[in-house]
């Protein structure tokens, strides 16, 4: 029993370390940069600052960031790829991000990739750096999703 607890703790520590590496704090915009960027999106241009700030705090923390990248697994499968991230380049990633889910106009519901798109388009600073880190650490983390 003691070994299983130690094994579980070791796994949790590894996941925590990988989560921190995937999150890459240095590549995340500040609240002010985020607010300026997201206000260029027509859906959010008139949103109250309190809503914009709350959305930032939801996405700009490791667990929220990670959780909102998980739709990439299903999106990859829809595109006929393996579920885990392994993108050739930004164009390959953007194709999965923007062209995987389809909801007919009469069923217009929430986009499962909405927060993932917000992260990509408004939260991260350097898209190439993000993609390199996602390919490196996302494989381990996102493939552990059940």
């Amino acid at each position: 029993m003691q070994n299983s607890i130690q094994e579980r703790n070791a796994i949790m520590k590894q996941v925590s370390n990988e989560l921190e590496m995937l999150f890459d704090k240095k590549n995340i915009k500040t609240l002010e940069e985020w607010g300026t960027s997201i206000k260029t999106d027509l859906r959010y241009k008139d949103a109250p600052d309190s809503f914009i700030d709350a959305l930032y705090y939801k996405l700009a923390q490791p667990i929220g960031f990670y959780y909102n990248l998980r739709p990439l697994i299903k999106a990859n499968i829809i595109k006929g790829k393996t579920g885990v991230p392994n993108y050739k380049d930004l164009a390959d990633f953007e194709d999965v991000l923007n062209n995987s889910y389809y909801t007919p106009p009469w069923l217009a519901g929430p986009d499962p990739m909405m927060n993932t798109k917000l992260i990509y388009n408004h939260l991260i600073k350097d898209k190439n750096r993000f993609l390199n880190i996602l390919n490196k650490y996302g494989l381990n983390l996102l493939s552990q999703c059940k």
Side-chain angles (χ1 to χ4, degrees):
M1 176 128 163
Q2 185 66 23
N3 284 344
S4 65
I5 292 172
Q6 289 172 339
E7 289 171 2
R8 187 186 62 168
N9 287 342
I11 291 169
M12 293 298 287
K13 182 174 170 80
Q14 177 186 351
V15 167
S16 179
N17 290 341
E18 289 173 347
L19 184 59
E20 286 294 326
M21 290 176 192
L22 177 65
F23 180 62
D24 187 20
K25 286 186 246 185
K26 294 177 183 173
N27 199 27
I28 301 297
K29 291 179 180 176
T30 65
L31 177 60
E32 185 177 303
E33 292 168 325
W34 156 265
T36 300
S37 180
I38 199 166
K39 290 284 187 165
T40 64
D41 187 321
L42 294 178
R43 291 172 293 176
Y44 299 97
K45 78 176 188 110
D46 294 325
D49 288 342
S50 59
F51 176 80
I52 298 298
D53 292 356
L55 192 53
Y56 175 83
Y57 290 116
K58 174 183 173 182
L59 300 177
Q61 60 173 317
I63 196 69
F65 187 83
Y66 159 74
Y67 180 77
N68 285 291
L69 293 179
R70 290 178 63 190
L72 290 169
I73 295 168
K74 185 172 180 186
N76 278 341
I77 293 168
I78 289 169
K79 295 294 284 182
K81 301 171 177 263
T82 63
V84 293
N86 188 18
Y87 304 101
K88 295 180 291 191
D89 54 28
L90 288 176
D92 185 33
F93 176 78
E94 289 173 359
D95 179 53
V96 170
L97 182 69
N98 296 314
N99 301 313
S100 53
Y101 288 93
Y102 173 72
T103 304
W106 63 90
L107 290 176
D111 177 358
M113 298 293 275
M114 182 181 70
N115 286 343
T116 310
K117 290 174 184 175
L118 289 175
I119 287 170
Y120 183 72
N121 292 319
H122 301 291
L123 186 63
I124 60 169
K125 295 177 185 178
D126 181 330
K127 291 177 176 16
N128 284 304
R129 179 176 169 160
F130 165 77
L131 186 63
N132 290 335
I133 290 173
L134 179 62
N135 280 339
K136 184 174 182 179
Y137 297 105
L139 175 67
N140 291 335
L141 275 170
L142 297 179
S143 65
Q144 295 173 28
C145 297
K146 301 276 189 229

